[in-house]
Amino acid sequence: MEGEDRLVSVIPVHFTNALQPNIHLHQFPLLTRPLEVPPSAAASGKRIRARVKPKVKRLEVHVPVDTRPEVWNAERSKELGAARVEDNKEKNQELPKVKQREGEEPRLSEVRMRSEQVPQSGAYILGVLRDGRLHLHPISETHQFRPTLTYMDMHTRKTRRTRGGDDSDEDDGPPPDPDDPTPVPTVKKEKKPAGDAKEVQVAVRKTGEGAGPQFQGGMTQVRRDMLTLIHAEEDERWEDFEYCGGETAEANEAFESVFSTSFQELECKTDITSLLKDVPGL
């Protein structure tokens, strides 16, 4: 269709950073389901909880599980619940103690969503259109949440210990196909006793003037840095946050604060040439 483009409408834009740095983008692996308490857990008074480690920027959201018998194994939850208690103690991540009946075993009663901060490529903006006006706010951080299953490692170690010291990690794999030829049996070699591990550093000496030896720690230094970060995160205490669902009064109040009430016009100090130069691919 030939002819000039026709102006359809003009939308006033309200940009403000008054809520910075409190606006984050949180991504959950829930597809089309909302982040809410299952009906069976809500009936017993359970709620979603949240906590954060500000220094390492780690967040956790604890969602109660659906305990209906048709979708939940109560006996299995006891095994995994005991493993989670030990995992919390080992990593110094214990939660406030919950009252239990005398002789009652701990149960796995919630799914923990743990965050990983995602680097932002460019500027992320939250935009909401209301009453013909577009309200924009910069997003400070982006986090992806995934279920944390570290208690499964603890449960696996406990299971191996109860097998009478069987330390074999090999998997026999699927059963053989009857149509395949019979494999030739192989003789297992005896394991030689391993010697003491030693840390080795390599020095690379350059031949140029004033070039001294450069030490390359290799993976040893990388491993040290990783362990330092892990210990720093484990040593930091969690700070409890109150989680408010999307339909609560607190959430509605926070949503209303997104809309600017100021009509002060901003002066643009960037010309069209500088703007086009900053657009990638042009």
Side-chain angles (χ1 to χ4, degrees):
M1 184 176 180
E2 298 180 357
E4 297 183 357
D5 294 334
R6 182 171 58 90
L7 180 64
V8 177
S9 63
V10 177
I11 301 177
V13 177
H14 294 253
F15 180 85
T16 177
N17 58 357
L19 300 179
Q20 199 174 15
N22 296 327
I23 295 185
H24 295 181
L25 176 60
H26 292 176
Q27 300 172 342
F28 296 90
L30 301 175
L31 299 179
T32 58
R33 295 188 297 111
L35 184 65
E36 60 184 17
V37 182
S40 59
S44 59
K46 295 181 179 179
R47 299 177 57 188
I48 296 178
R49 297 182 298 171
R51 58 183 185 175
V52 63
K53 290 187 175 183
K55 293 182 181 179
V56 297
K57 296 184 178 181
R58 182 81 66 191
L59 300 97
E60 273 192 0
V61 177
H62 300 179
V63 185
V65 297
D66 189 352
T67 56
R68 290 176 297 161
E70 56 267 25
V71 297
W72 188 250
N73 188 331
E75 292 300 323
R76 183 67 170 171
S77 69
K78 295 179 182 178
E79 300 176 6
L80 299 180
R84 170 168 280 179
V85 170
E86 293 191 19
D87 185 58
N88 288 338
K89 293 179 179 178
E90 184 179 276
K91 294 181 173 60
N92 193 25
Q93 308 295 316
E94 294 186 77
L95 292 169
K97 293 184 178 181
V98 181
K99 292 184 179 179
Q100 293 182 346
R101 298 177 183 175
E102 185 177 354
E104 184 180 8
E105 300 179 14
R107 297 171 181 264
L108 186 68
S109 58
E110 61 188 14
V111 176
R112 294 183 185 176
M113 299 284 188
R114 177 169 291 193
S115 71
E116 287 286 347
Q117 188 172 3
V118 180
Q120 297 185 168
S121 55
Y124 285 21
I125 299 294
L126 168 67
V128 182
L129 188 64
R130 173 190 268 189
D131 298 333
R133 299 179 181 272
L134 180 61
H135 300 265
L136 301 179
H137 294 266
I139 296 176
S140 303
E141 299 176 9
T142 301
H143 295 267
Q144 289 183 347
F145 286 77
R146 295 181 177 88
T148 173
L149 303 174
T150 55
Y151 59 89
M152 293 295 295
D153 298 331
M154 176 64 68
H155 179 263
T156 301
R157 294 203 300 267
K158 288 180 59 179
T159 304
R160 287 176 180 172
R161 287 197 297 265
T162 56
R163 287 179 180 174
D166 182 11
D167 58 351
S168 176
D169 295 335
E170 298 180 358
D171 186 6
D172 295 335
D177 192 335
D179 296 333
D180 292 342
T182 304
V184 179
T186 57
V187 180
K188 294 185 178 181
K189 297 181 180 180
E190 295 182 359
K191 295 182 179 180
K192 296 181 179 180
D196 297 336
K198 296 182 180 180
E199 182 176 335
V200 179
Q201 283 192 343
V202 180
V204 181
R205 188 180 299 275
K206 292 186 178 181
T207 58
E209 296 182 359
Q214 294 184 347
F215 291 93
Q216 296 181 350
M219 290 302 295
T220 303
Q221 185 60 40
V222 174
R223 185 171 180 272
R224 287 176 180 171
D225 295 340
M226 292 177 62
L227 290 176
T228 300
L229 294 175
I230 292 174
H231 290 323
E233 179 175 344
E234 291 179 353
D235 292 340
E236 185 179 356
R237 291 288 182 180
W238 288 102
E239 296 182 9
D240 292 332
F241 267 36
E242 181 182 1
Y243 181 88
C244 300
E247 302 300 328
T248 61
E250 294 83 356
N252 291 330
E253 183 179 352
F255 181 70
E256 289 298 328
S257 65
V258 170
F259 303 104
S260 174
T261 57
S262 174
F263 294 90
Q264 179 183 0
E265 294 187 4
L266 301 179
E267 180 183 356
C268 182
K269 296 184 179 181
T270 304
D271 55 22
I272 187 63
T273 304
S274 301
L275 178 62
L276 292 177
K277 287 182 178 179
D278 293 336
V279 177
L282 291 183

